[in-house]
Amino acid sequence: MTLILAIESSCDETAAAVVEDGRRVLSNIIASQIDIHRLYGGVVPELASRHHLQAITPVTEAAIQEAGITLAQADAIAVTAGPGLAGPLLVGVSYSKALAFALDKPLIAVHHWQAHIAAINLVCKIKPPYLALVASGSHSGLIVVQKDSYELAGQSLDDAAGEAFDKIARALGLPYPGGPEIEKAARNGKRDFCAFPRASLENPCDFSFSGLKSAVLNELNRRQMQGESLTEQLVSDIAASAQEAICDVLSARAVATACRLKLNTLVLAGGVAANGRLRELVGERARQAGLTALNPPPAYCTDNAAMVGAAAYPLWLKGCFAADTLNAQPRLPF
Ligand code: KG4
Ligand code: ZN
């Protein structure tokens, strides 16, 4: 039995978890900074770093306590090394390095995308190869997961899917983070209210969402210039149409890519994978194409440390430990 104490601080959640054998979550504690950043309409990196500093010790202590273990019983410390915001990453990396050194435990450095993908291991047994759609606030990509490697099949050429949700929400006067707010507003809206664009690109596995964002802004400006006010119904209709455009593109390209690459299983990951309409569309299209679509529960889609513990376990088995010179890597390549 291997117990990994995992730490995540790449953006605006300070999180710690204890995970047994990469699957069984003994604790999963998250201190969210959403209320702080909401005042500014998005994450303020300097504020995020300061709040990570304040939260990281109590969050780690709570994770250890809830798991019913002592720090000494953890076999290794795992941490998100990148990509992410430099200051926030540095807090988690420095803290984990200090902890590993003081406890004389191995340190495992985890890539944030790989952690999002590994979240699926917390809820089911899945064997590579499979295709993962990672859609979060900072990245959107299609990744072929093999037993010992990952291959990037395509990615967003501009805004990430979550970033598009957040920016469109802001234009609609909805608070940060925009994804859940758009999903809520969209429940009362018409998906076909506006025919927002779906960018077609040279590589059919790539995405682009900046044109959609501009189209939403243009639609709002046009209506405003005609004297129309932004009613709750208009917000809902535009939210539903924009959500449909994002989810349509993500689901269609993910399913088409899995079929083209002859991969039978499609895994959803990242904060945007918490979106009910995306899960529904992926489920429908995967079924039509004869694929199995798997998604972790929403709590394991958005940033958390349990997924870091899941991603660290295969690295533990292989003895892939980080040097004590490990640094935060905001642009860590995939
Ligand atoms: O993976 P995540 O927690 O953090 C990053 O790695 O970026 O993803 C956060 C992103 C935000 O852009 C947020 O608006 C989006 O995920 N998100 C959603 C939903 N929940 C979170 N987007 C659409 N629908 C949701 N229900
Ligand atoms: Zn994330």
Side-chain angles (χ1 to χ4, degrees):
M1 181 186 77
T2 305
L3 292 175
I4 294 181
L5 168 62
I7 290 174
E8 151 66 35
S9 68
S10 64
C11 190
D12 59 347
E13 321 277 7
T14 319
V18 176
V19 181
E20 186 185 304
D21 294 340
R23 290 189 184 283
R24 207 172 140 236
V25 180
L26 303 190
S27 62
N28 187 28
I29 307 292
I30 302 177
S32 173
Q33 302 179 5
I34 282 177
D35 291 344
I36 296 153
H37 300 293
R38 186 165 272 176
L39 299 172
Y40 305 92
V43 180
V44 183
E46 181 56 34
L47 283 180
S49 308
R50 278 191 232 165
H51 283 88
H52 282 305
L53 268 178
Q54 285 168 358
I56 199 151
T57 302
V59 163
T60 306
E61 283 173 355
I64 288 291
Q65 197 181 9
E66 196 174 300
I69 66 162
T70 61
L71 266 177
Q73 284 174 294
D75 294 293
I77 314 296
V79 66
T80 307
L85 298 171
L89 281 170
L90 200 54
V91 175
V93 168
S94 310
Y95 186 83
S96 304
K97 270 165 68 173
L99 211 52
F101 180 74
L103 297 167
D104 195 21
K105 308 276 182 191
L107 178 67
I108 302 173
V110 169
H111 190 289
H112 189 60
W113 288 37
Q114 290 173 14
H116 273 303
I117 295 169
I120 197 66
N121 297 323
L122 299 171
V123 289
C124 63
K125 286 202 167 164
I126 172 169
K127 272 202 182 141
Y130 59 85
L131 185 72
L133 166 64
V134 182
S136 73
S138 44
H139 319 279
S140 296
L142 285 168
I143 293 146
V144 180
V145 181
Q146 303 282 2
K147 188 165 173 287
D148 287 314
S149 63
Y150 299 84
E151 190 191 318
L152 192 59
Q155 61 184 330
S156 177
L157 303 181
D158 39 56
D159 293 352
E163 196 179 350
F165 270 110
D166 293 341
K167 287 177 176 169
I168 292 168
R170 197 172 175 159
L172 291 172
L174 297 171
Y176 173 85
E181 297 292 332
I182 294 244
E183 183 171 12
K184 220 186 300 165
R187 285 192 196 119
N188 305 317
K190 295 182 265 314
R191 288 175 195 148
D192 58 357
F193 184 74
C194 287
F196 287 133
R198 277 78 161 149
S200 58
L201 302 159
E202 208 176 310
N203 176 356
C205 310
D206 282 339
F207 307 104
S208 165
F209 295 109
S210 64
L212 167 66
K213 179 188 61 190
S214 306
V216 171
L217 292 174
N218 288 343
E219 182 68 23
L220 287 171
N221 284 341
R222 189 181 64 76
R223 286 175 182 273
Q224 206 173 19
M225 274 158 59
Q226 287 171 351
E228 200 176 334
S229 53
L230 194 59
T231 60
E232 208 176 313
Q233 188 56 52
L234 183 58
V235 168
S236 286
D237 288 336
I238 292 189
S241 303
Q243 173 176 266
E244 194 63 11
I246 297 173
C247 298
D248 179 30
V249 165
L250 288 174
S251 58
R253 299 223 172 126
V255 169
T257 303
C259 291
R260 204 167 33 247
L261 300 178
K262 299 194 171 23
L263 297 163
N264 300 327
T265 308
L266 175 60
V267 169
L268 296 191
V272 177
N275 185 279
R277 180 62 184 150
L278 177 64
R279 293 157 89 98
E280 188 177 56
L281 273 177
V282 168
E284 277 170 18
R285 289 177 167 166
R287 215 172 308 116
Q288 282 160 11
L291 307 178
T292 304
L294 300 172
N295 28 258
Y300 290 155
C301 290
T302 46
D303 286 348
N304 65 89
M307 66 184 192
V308 178
Y313 184 61
L315 299 172
W316 157 269
L317 291 177
K318 283 188 238 164
C320 283
F321 302 134
D324 55 11
T325 51
L326 178 72
N327 205 349
Q329 290 160 276
R331 295 182 180 275
L332 184 60
F334 194 67

